[in-house]
Amino acid sequence: MIKIAPSILAADFCRLGADVDEVQAAGADYLHFDVMDGIFVPNISVGLPVLKSLRRATDMFLDVHLMIDRPQRYAKAFCDAGADLVNVHVESDTEENILHALAAVKKCGRKVGVTLKPRTEAEAILPFIEYCDLVLVMTVEPGFGGQRFMMDQLPKINRIRGLIERYAPRCELEVDGGVDVDTAPLCVKAGANVLVAGSAVFGKTDRAAAIRAIREKTK
Ligand code: DX5
Ligand code: ZN
């Protein structure tokens, strides 16, 4: 079954706990937590203290997306703060240091993923795939919620599905950016099994209905 991962970037941070409870009750599978440092991406979001609070407030699976430069520096800290899975961008450091970041997460007993920006080719996952529990494909330029889904990423999603099947069949394939009722089915058709949705879930008044609608369309 397809997993839905609402992104808290579109939630109301003044009532984050209640927002999270609402999507959990509506059947969301993961909670997507976007971390931005103002360097790797031109925006700043939330970080360790918010993750720590969230960890105390919910038992949901916390899928942390690090959009930060040299994530190796903070991989363990995000695990300690309560991440269940930590995604690092392949573009955020050297191959060697990315491997160190993945190893640090594994050492904490958490799951790990690598993430690709839209202009990064599918094969960039190859040095890391054997260690990964998940590959995250960005379908917008990372940094902001509410952007338009990039259709030209669909062939890449499909190509990554092929690489996963070949090298790491248990690895999940997640997509992030502009995913809504219309684009979700295209992602699933291309091979994705985890759908991040910010505006399309937290941006709606009736979050339960929003999740149901995405689920319906991806059955
Ligand atoms: C963008 C973030 C996304 C964002 C998605 O850099 O990584 O997770 O919250 O938001 P929507 O679903 O609104 O495109
Ligand atoms: Zn994200």
Side-chain angles (χ1 to χ4, degrees), residues 115-157:
T115 308
L116 271 58
K117 286 183 177 184
R119 278 191 279 256
T120 304
E121 57 171 23
E123 284 68 23
I125 65 168
L126 289 177
F128 314 108
I129 185 72
E130 63 179 298
Y131 310 106
C132 287
D133 300 289
L134 180 145
V135 172
L136 170 57
V137 178
M138 292 306 299
T139 41
V140 298
E141 283 298 338
F144 300 90
Q147 302 181 75
R148 186 192 286 265
F149 181 86
M150 295 169 71
M151 292 288 175
D152 62 356
Q153 295 304 297
L154 288 169
K156 186 166 101 186
I157 295 166

Side-chain angles (χ1 to χ4, degrees), residues 7 9 32 34 36 65 67 138 140-147 176-179 196-200:
S7 163
L9 200 58
H32 188 78
D34 287 305
M36 305 178 186
H65 177 192
M67 287 165 274
M138 292 306 299
V140 298
E141 283 298 338
F144 300 90
Q147 302 181 75
D176 181 10
V179 177
V196 175
S199 319

